[in-house]
Amino acid sequence: MFFQKLKRWLLVAIIIFVPIFAVYLGFLDQNIRKKFEGKRWDIPAKVYANPLDIYVGYALTLNEFKDLLDQLHYRNDSTLSSEGTYQSQGRQITLKTRSFTFWDGAQESLHLKISFSGSVITKISDIDNLRELAVVRMDPVQIGSFFPKLKEDRILIKLADAPVLLKQGLLATEDRNFYHHHGVSLRGLARAVLANLRAGGLVQGGSTITQQLVKNFYLTSERTLKRKVNEVFMAMLLDMRYSKDEILEAYFNEIYLGQDGSNSINGFGLASEFYFNQPLKSLSLHQIATLVSLVRGPSYYDPRRYPDRSLARRNLVLDEMTEQGYLTEAQATEAKAEPLGVIANVHRSMNRYPAFLDLVKRQLNIEYQDQDLTTEGLKIFTTLDTQVQNTLEKTVARKLAALEKGRRSKNLETAVLITRRDSAEIVALAGGRNASEPGFNRALDALRPIGSLVKPAVYLTALSNPDKYTTSTFVKDTAIEVDGWSPKNYDHREHGSVPLHSALAHSYNLATVRIGMDVSLKSVANTLLNLGITRDVELVPSMLLGSLPLTPIEVTQMYQTLAGDGFVTPLKAIREVVAGDGKRLQRYPFETKQGVDSAATYITNTILQEVVSEGTARAAYNALPRSLSLAGKTGTSNDLKDSWFAGFSGDYLSVVWVGRDNNKSAGLSGANGALPIWIALMKEIAHKAVDLVVPENVQQVWIDPSNGLLTESNCAGARQYPYIIGSEPVNSSSCASEPSLDELPSLDGEPNPDENMPDNNAEPAAPENEPAEPTNPTINNPKTWFNNFF
């Protein structure tokens, strides 16, 4: 009777259990197939600096090239045993470049010898092919990544591309019966138990490679019976569904092998770079054995923190490979004699330039979702020049400390942008004085009054009306009141009638307001719009002296148009976006359009050169080579709260802001705050002179500066000034006689009443003249710069 009841209960249990078990296995099988056959991994986007193209004649010193190799994590290796190694001898560097896939195709590794003389490259030789090369593109510096939420990183590899020794090492130490079991090995489990008992410790694990993959790929690391049961059944299902090689390839890419800060190192491809700074295919036997040793416990056997443990485990791996016949005794002995050879932890995944990467991500978010940036393995090639960026960061740190020394004003902050003058590519950016710390990005978000940086727009507007204004038109720098507002000059003086070029060069406020009111506030605002400023501003007189608040990047766009001879070229930080498979997804081509009149822009730029040579930025003229013919403008806001300088050489435009986050006075004008930083920066990076393109409708005319009339080139004090053809003076000044007052041209056509004409050549370089009374500008319908501009 008892056995009959037991049979019935067993039958009932089977009837109930088998369907439930089938559903359970079906659920596990569905999960396995969904993930294994779909998108297996979230691959972070990798962000690269602009790759450096080197060529014969390129201005680069031997030490600067070594610095670049250090940024690229090349190893100093006299044998050049792998890609990414170099050797320095005398004035030559021999190296093996890394193969790399750019947006326009793949570039194979090259064996090069590069010769230097002074500060230039004199020869580039391809050693393997016995030829000289005209140009070589170096692999780019990775400056950051956009990670998924799990903070995982990996370099995907194919099983066919993996070293055979890696596969053999894993089979010898982790799963000798891998190609013969069905996902779970009872024999392997028993063997591991016996081996551990003999050794008195853990020397072998019982899990198969398939089980390890399931644990890493599908399950959590919790140690519970439920998780272990799931692991066993899922391993069997995985083995039933997929080939051994497919499972092994997934294992190669999934296995956890270390930690880089908050980011995990997954897979042997990335681990090879992380520990040895070499691609996996280039590793030697002892290095492969070290990676295999990490499988058992990346933290416990960390070769950087616990080199003795790691060395012992590596040698055990070599012994296991020898025992299984994968190595000879001689090979194992030779490999054991090698040191671990791991590189210092370089934090490869750290975002090195957070302010610039913030700009990159904002531009990308216009066309890509966050998920695309953190899961699709995109390659993002930017315009950043790491050499210029590093120079900028060092300059900012040094000069801000110097500005604070001996002053009451502490806690100074800064924002700096540097672009290529010819392309508007942003090559460097500082969002604050601590460039390595993420946070408030002043370069993009600090909305500050720009002071006299607005004045070139006022004078450009005037010069666009050549029938009324020319470079030598005399304007009144005398007291004026507009709607109850009475601006003052910085020196609280009135300078009488002065030539227009001198009024801008010396930043006279009163003359500027008179010109601006005459041409109209609306016309000046339209000029700002045509220069690339999209922000709406209230048309109030104080805007003529810079009550208008802009961000440093908006100021950079405005001055980029001036530096670009009146052509608006949108600032850009990205060159190309490439998919993980190498397909080009997005190009950011060079785009430009005529923004403002080229003739008026040319004349304005010649006056900006005068700002540097004779005006408020004369310190730059004295500190930098005069052959550079630099152009720029200082800017200061009320109560010395904001110090600005924007200027350009033939190769770079740089905009510098200095101030305090609490909006209290920094005690610095543009000339003694931002300008010293700009000078120190340009002294390091500027090499090309400003060579302004003369429009066809502009001619140079000899003028007597004392009265603005025509003269001969051989007359004392005669100077050449540019004029739009047809706007040059008609009357002439005799070399031997002074003109009468009624001969002097003036703004309103009346005789010039000023009997004491300023000697422009003797005018001292003073800080620019800013409004003495505070203004409260308001923004109409403020717009985010990125939404309007891109």
Side-chain angles (χ1 to χ4, degrees):
M1 181 69 68
F2 172 77
F3 289 106
Q4 289 179 347
K5 289 184 178 181
L6 181 61
K7 288 180 180 180
R8 284 199 298 269
W9 278 109
L10 287 174
L11 181 60
V12 171
I14 291 171
I15 292 173
I16 295 174
F17 175 75
V18 169
I20 293 176
F21 184 64
V23 171
Y24 163 69
L25 290 181
F27 173 75
L28 293 181
D29 185 54
Q30 183 181 15
N31 286 343
I32 288 172
R33 294 173 61 187
K34 181 178 179 180
K35 189 168 184 179
F36 204 86
E37 294 176 4
K39 184 174 178 291
R40 298 182 188 177
W41 295 286
D42 289 339
I43 309 297
K46 289 181 169 55
V47 187
Y48 296 95
N50 191 33
L52 179 65
D53 290 327
I54 58 173
Y55 50 86
V56 174
Y58 184 76
L60 189 71
T61 67
L62 177 69
N63 287 334
E64 287 173 341
F65 189 64
K66 284 184 178 179
D67 289 342
L68 173 64
L69 295 178
D70 288 341
Q71 291 183 64
L72 289 167
H73 307 301
Y74 274 54
R75 292 183 300 111
N76 193 339
D77 178 1
S78 60
T79 64
L80 300 183
S81 58
S82 66
E83 296 180 12
T85 57
Y86 76 96
Q87 180 186 22
S88 179
Q89 291 180 319
R91 304 297 301 170
Q92 294 181 329
I93 286 184
T94 308
L95 72 156
K96 280 188 178 179
T97 66
R98 292 195 189 97
S99 54
F100 192 87
T101 301
F102 293 91
W103 60 88
D104 53 359
Q107 178 174 285
E108 297 299 321
S109 173
L110 296 171
H111 187 190
L112 302 176
K113 179 179 287 186
I114 303 174
S115 302
F116 296 82
S117 178
S119 60
V120 298
I121 294 174
T122 56
K123 190 177 181 180
I124 304 175
S125 302
D126 182 345
I127 295 176
D128 292 339
N129 296 306
L130 300 176
R131 59 174 181 163
E132 292 188 16
L133 301 178
V135 62
V136 168
R137 179 188 287 171
M138 296 295 296
D139 47 304
V141 176
Q142 184 180 343
I143 60 174
S145 299
F146 297 136
F147 284 97
K149 293 180 180 179
L150 294 178
K151 295 287 188 178
E152 293 182 353
D153 197 5
R154 53 177 54 80
I155 296 175
L156 297 182
I157 59 171
K158 297 287 187 181
L159 181 63
D161 298 329
V164 175
L165 288 171
L166 176 62
K167 177 179 177 180
Q168 293 171 341
L170 286 171
L171 294 178
T173 57
E174 299 300 319
D175 195 350
R176 297 178 180 178
N177 201 36
F178 174 72
Y179 281 98
H180 303 288
H181 62 62
H182 299 289
V184 178
S185 174
L186 297 178
R187 183 187 302 175
L189 180 61
R191 184 176 62 251
V193 171
L194 291 175
N196 292 336
L197 288 174
R198 291 195 195 100
L202 184 64
V203 295
Q204 284 190 24
S207 296
T208 65
I209 283 177
T210 313
Q211 287 176 268
Q212 291 180 41
L213 175 61
V214 167
K215 182 172 65 176
N216 280 269
F217 200 48
Y218 295 100
L219 305 174
T220 66
S221 58
E222 62 178 343
R223 294 176 177 271
T224 63
L225 180 60
K226 177 183 177 182
R227 187 200 64 76
K228 193 65 178 178
V229 170
N230 281 337
E231 176 188 307
V232 168
F233 284 117
M234 291 178 79
M236 295 172 67
L237 289 168
L238 192 67
D239 189 85
M240 180 179 66
R241 285 284 184 189
Y242 305 103
S243 71
K244 293 291 185 180
D245 284 350
E246 286 178 300
I247 293 171
L248 192 59
E249 182 176 281
Y251 181 88
F252 277 8
N253 289 302
E254 174 61 25
I255 191 67
Y256 171 70
L257 293 171
Q259 197 75 21
D260 181 15
S262 62
N263 306 314
S264 66
I265 303 298
N266 293 81
F268 288 101
L270 183 61
S272 176
E273 300 277 358
F274 181 67
Y275 291 106
F276 298 109
N277 194 33
Q278 295 182 52
L280 185 61
K281 63 182 181 180
S282 300
L283 295 187
S284 302
L285 171 59
H286 72 280
Q287 295 169 319
I288 291 174
T290 300
L291 292 186
V292 172
S293 71
L294 291 169
V295 172
R296 193 58 55 87
S299 298
Y300 187 82
Y301 294 110
D302 188 333
R304 295 189 179 103
R305 297 178 60 193
Y306 308 110
D308 291 340
R309 291 180 192 172
S310 179
L311 189 65
R313 178 65 189 167
R314 181 201 72 177
N315 291 343
L316 180 60
V317 170
L318 292 169
D319 288 338
E320 294 284 332
M321 293 177 71
T322 304
E323 180 185 328
Q324 293 300 305
Y326 296 128
L327 301 177
T328 65
E329 290 285 351
Q331 287 175 313
T333 300
E334 182 180 358
K336 289 179 182 180
E338 295 285 346
L340 288 173
V342 294
I343 62 171
N345 193 342
V346 295
H347 289 290
R348 303 181 64 86
S349 57
M350 183 178 69
N351 290 337
R352 301 170 63 179
Y353 308 110
F356 183 82
L357 287 167
D358 180 24
L359 171 61
V360 170
K361 192 165 187 179
R362 293 192 201 190
Q363 291 193 5
L364 287 170
N365 280 339
I366 296 172
E367 293 166 340
Y368 296 92
Q369 300 295 320
D370 272 346
Q371 185 176 1
D372 298 328
L373 300 180
T374 59
T375 65
E376 299 298 329
L378 303 180
K379 283 184 178 180
I380 300 159
F381 295 94
T382 73
T383 60
L384 184 81
D385 185 321
T386 57
Q387 289 179 299
V388 177
Q389 177 69 34
N390 294 337
T391 298
L392 169 60
E393 293 179 6
K394 293 175 184 177
T395 301
V396 163
R398 175 168 52 87
K399 296 303 292 186
L400 280 184
L403 289 174
E404 290 177 337
K405 190 175 182 180
R407 291 180 178 270
R408 294 181 181 178
S409 181
K410 302 294 182 181
N411 303 317
L412 292 177
E413 273 297 348
T414 191
V416 185
L417 289 103
I418 306 173
T419 66
R420 296 191 192 280
R421 183 188 169 208
D422 61 352
S423 65
E425 293 179 340
I426 299 173
V427 297
L429 181 151
R433 67 186 301 163
N434 297 317
S436 62
E437 296 181 5
F440 181 54
N441 195 335
R442 296 163 189 82
L444 308 186
D445 299 323
L447 192 60
R448 310 293 295 227
I450 66 172
S452 289
L453 290 189
V454 77
K455 289 179 180 175
V458 177
Y459 287 79
L460 176 59
T461 305
L463 290 166
S464 297
N465 297 278
D467 293 340
K468 192 168 189 180
Y469 289 98
T470 69
T471 185
S472 61
T473 299
F474 275 76
V475 295
K476 293 179 180 179
D477 187 62
T478 55
I480 182 174
E481 181 176 329
V482 184
D483 297 334
W485 175 58
S486 300
K488 300 290 189 295
N489 279 332
Y490 186 88
D491 58 6
H492 295 278
R493 293 172 51 200
E494 297 178 22
H495 302 93
S497 291
V498 296
L500 180 143
H501 67 87
S502 184
L504 177 54
H506 296 283
S507 204
Y508 293 151
N509 289 338
L510 301 179
T512 302
V513 172
R514 286 183 177 275
I515 294 173
M517 295 305 298
D518 183 61
V519 300
S520 84
L521 299 178
K522 184 176 181 180
S523 294
V524 174
N526 284 335
T527 297
L528 288 168
L529 175 65
N530 292 332
L531 286 170
I533 300 301
T534 58
R535 186 181 297 276
D536 291 337
V537 297
E538 187 177 11
L539 300 181
V540 294
S542 60
M543 67 173 280
L544 299 172
L545 299 182
S547 63
L548 164 66
L550 295 176
T551 61
I553 197 167
E554 289 175 303
V555 172
T556 305
Q557 182 62 70
M558 170 183 169
Y559 274 81
Q560 182 70 45
T561 304
L562 289 170
D565 302 316
F567 286 85
V568 179
T569 306
L571 303 180
K572 66 176 182 177
I574 307 168
R575 294 189 64 180
E576 300 271 352
V577 177
V578 178
D581 60 2
K583 180 182 178 181
R584 298 169 78 167
L585 296 180
Q586 184 72 35
R587 296 190 64 195
Y588 294 80
F590 178 81
E591 297 178 354
T592 189
K593 65 178 182 179
Q594 184 80 47
V596 289
D597 180 70
S598 58
T601 303
Y602 172 81
I603 297 173
T604 302
N605 282 337
T606 64
I607 303 176
L608 293 181
Q609 289 178 312
E610 187 178 337
V611 171
V612 176
S613 63
E614 301 180 26
T616 58
R618 193 183 300 171
Y621 187 70
N622 295 329
L624 293 164
R626 298 181 180 183
S627 59
L628 290 176
S629 302
L630 301 168
K633 185 71 188 77
T634 47
T636 312
S637 68
N638 287 329
D639 302 321
L640 303 179
K641 291 180 180 180
D642 301 278
S643 172
W644 292 90
F645 189 80
F648 55 92
S649 63
D651 37 9
Y652 294 110
L653 163 71
S654 302
V655 173
V656 180
W657 168 85
V658 176
R660 302 177 71 185
D661 286 341
N662 60 12
N663 204 34
K664 292 184 178 180
S665 175
L668 299 167
S669 69
N672 56 30
L675 181 58
I677 295 177
W678 188 89
I679 291 172
L681 178 62
M682 298 300 275
K683 188 177 292 186
E684 297 293 328
I685 67 173
H687 300 292
K688 295 182 180 179
V690 175
D691 185 14
L692 299 175
V693 178
V694 184
E696 293 182 357
N697 61 333
V698 170
Q699 64 178 347
Q700 298 287 337
V701 178
W702 287 99
I703 297 294
D704 183 343
S706 67
N707 54 37
L709 301 180
L710 294 173
T711 189
E712 300 295 331
S713 61
N714 58 355
C715 289
R719 296 179 61 173
Q720 273 192 314
Y721 292 111
Y723 293 85
I724 296 175
I725 294 175
S727 68
E728 65 275 10
V730 176
N731 296 325
S732 297
S733 173
S734 172
C735 289
S737 63
E738 293 294 330
S740 62
L741 289 178
D742 59 4
E743 289 182 288
L744 297 180
S746 64
L747 178 60
D748 52 13
E750 297 178 0
N752 191 334
D754 186 22
E755 297 180 357
N756 299 308
M757 295 298 297
D759 181 355
N760 293 317
N761 293 321
E763 186 72 26
E768 68 268 70
N769 297 276
E770 301 297 338
E773 301 299 324
T775 56
N776 295 301
T778 59
I779 306 298
N780 290 334
N781 301 319
K783 301 176 183 178
T784 302
W785 183 74
F786 283 93
N787 290 340
N788 279 285
F789 191 75
F790 292 102

